């Protein structure tokens, strides 16, 4: 069991001795711990720098790809516009021929009808473009900058923009229709 001539702590029940922290050669010293922490910090910093370099390389490659894709997209948008416009013109010419030949309309009436149709489509397109260009004015950002004291709007303009933003949001989310039904007699 236990040897009475032996001094020190008794062995653990499993047969393992409990290490003595004061015994020489046991456990790392403060200097060794400091070196390990320093080395781990250097490794962590090195890994962070390597990660930053990898992200920078990825960003540069991704930006180059996006720039190239933008140029190609603009090229194909131009092709689509040219062929879309030419097909629209041919469609209108066919409609004019149909109205004049089959229905017996005069050339003038046929051309006025097709040009009126084109004008309606153009007006709808301009109306939608103006509607979406309103979102490019950055109303919310400008409002927040004004609230921080950095802006070029006076209080009246700010209130007008706030009201316009509320109106756009209501129309965008379909809340304008609900209010119209509630206010109806």
């Amino acid at each position: 069991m236990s040897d009475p001539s032996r001094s020190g702590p008794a062995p653990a029940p499993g047969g393992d001795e409990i290490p003595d922290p004061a015994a020489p050669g046991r456990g790392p010293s403060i200097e060794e711990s400091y070196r390990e922490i320093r080395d781990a910090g250097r490794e962590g910093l090195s890994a962070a720098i390597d990660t930053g370099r990898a992200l920078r390389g990825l960003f540069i490659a991704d930006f180059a790809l996006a720039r190239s894709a933008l140029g190609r997209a603009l090229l194909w948008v131009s092709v689509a516009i040219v062929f879309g416009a030419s097909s629209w013109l041919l469609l209108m010419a066919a409609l004019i021929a149909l109205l004049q030949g089959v229905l017996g309309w005069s050339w003038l009436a046929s051309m006025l009808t097709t040009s009126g149709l084109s004008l309606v489509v153009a007006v709808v397109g301009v109306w939608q473009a103006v509607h979406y260009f309103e979102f490019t004015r950055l109303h919310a950002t400008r409002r927040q900058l004004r609230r921080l004291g950095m802006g070029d709007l006076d209080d009246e303009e700010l209130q007008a923009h706030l009201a316009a933003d509320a109106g756009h949001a209501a129309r965008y989310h379909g809340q304008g229709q609900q209010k119209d039904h509630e206010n109806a007699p």
Side-chain angles (χ1 to χ4, degrees):
M1 297 222 172
S2 165
D3 186 8
S5 63
R6 210 174 139 189
S7 65
D16 296 329
E17 291 188 16
I18 299 173
D20 184 13
R26 302 265 183 172
S29 69
I30 292 177
E31 293 170 358
E32 290 174 5
S33 297
Y34 171 75
R35 281 189 211 106
E36 288 177 9
I37 291 172
R38 183 190 63 203
D39 292 343
R42 285 183 181 166
E43 288 175 10
L45 180 61
S46 176
I49 290 172
D50 290 343
T51 301
R53 286 181 184 148
L55 286 174
R56 180 179 172 262
L58 177 65
F59 176 74
I60 289 171
D62 206 19
F63 188 72
L65 179 65
R67 185 180 54 203
S68 173
L70 178 64
R72 291 179 182 173
L74 288 175
L75 170 75
W76 284 108
V77 164
S78 300
V79 168
I81 288 172
V82 166
F83 281 89
S86 65
S87 67
W88 181 261
L89 291 173
L90 290 172
L91 181 65
M92 291 298 106
L95 184 59
I96 289 170
L98 178 74
L99 290 174
Q100 197 275 330
V102 175
L103 297 178
W105 290 19
S106 68
W107 282 101
L108 181 62
S110 300
M111 287 203 267
L112 284 175
T113 302
T114 55
S115 64
L117 176 64
S118 295
L119 186 63
V120 166
V121 171
V123 166
V124 168
V126 167
W127 174 56
Q128 287 297 313
V130 167
H131 171 72
Y132 284 111
F133 273 126
E134 279 297 314
F135 292 119
T136 65
R137 297 192 54 160
L138 306 174
H139 291 297
T141 302
R142 292 172 69 196
R143 183 177 61 243
Q144 294 302 322
L145 287 174
R146 176 65 182 140
R147 286 181 180 166
L148 293 172
M150 299 178 281
D152 58 347
L153 298 178
D154 60 6
D155 289 336
E156 292 176 8
E157 290 176 346
L158 180 63
Q159 293 304 322
H161 285 295
L162 289 173
D165 287 345
H168 285 299
R171 282 194 303 270
Y172 183 74
H173 294 294
Q175 296 169 354
Q177 295 173 350
Q178 294 172 353
K179 290 180 182 177
D180 290 341
H181 293 296
E182 293 172 359
N183 294 336

